[in-house]
């Protein structure tokens, strides 16, 4: 649908920017600060069947067991 067109347009714009070197390569291979903290990705728990109730139950489970996730990735497997 329309989303595919938007993605192709964004890729085209990014390619043009890259050619003009507006977007520069990051030669620093260090991991982002986010990697220093525990997080939770819903893909590992729900794959493509993620929904609000499951996410809330997962967060409740983390709290019950005293696990403090600093970030969350809501991943429904869309590609």
């Amino acid at each position: 649908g329309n989303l595919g067109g938007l993605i192709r347009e964004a890729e085209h714009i990014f390619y043009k920017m890259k050619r003009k070197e507006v977007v520069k390569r990051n030669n620093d291979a260090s991991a982002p600060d986010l990697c220093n903290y525990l997080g939770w990705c819903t893909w590992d728990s729900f794959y493509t069947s993620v929904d609000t109730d499951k996410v809330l139950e997962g967060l409740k489970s983390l709290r019950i067991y005293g696990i403090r996730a600093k970030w969350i990735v809501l991943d429904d497997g869309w590609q």
Side-chain angles (χ1 to χ4, degrees), residues 38-42 45-46 54-55 58-59 62 69 71-74:
L38 176 71
W40 177 48
C41 178
T42 60
S45 300
F46 312 122
K54 290 178 181 178
V55 170
L59 292 171
L62 291 173
W71 52 267
I72 182 172
V73 174
L74 298 174

Side-chain angles (χ1 to χ4, degrees), residues 5-26:
L6 290 173
I7 292 170
R8 281 190 294 281
E9 182 180 347
E11 287 174 336
H12 178 71
I13 291 169
F14 180 74
Y15 177 75
K16 285 182 8 183
M17 290 171 62
K18 187 175 177 183
R19 283 185 51 211
K20 293 179 182 178
E21 296 192 35
V22 172
V23 177
K24 299 213 184 281
R25 173 177 265 210
N26 181 3

Side-chain angles (χ1 to χ4, degrees), residues 48-76:
T48 58
S49 64
V50 64
D51 66 36
T52 303
D53 292 333
K54 290 178 181 178
V55 170
L56 292 175
E57 189 64 30
L59 292 171
K60 180 180 175 184
S61 178
L62 291 173
R63 187 182 73 230
I64 287 171
Y65 290 101
I67 300 170
R68 296 178 155 237
K70 190 151 184 167
W71 52 267
I72 182 172
V73 174
L74 298 174
D75 187 346
D76 65 356

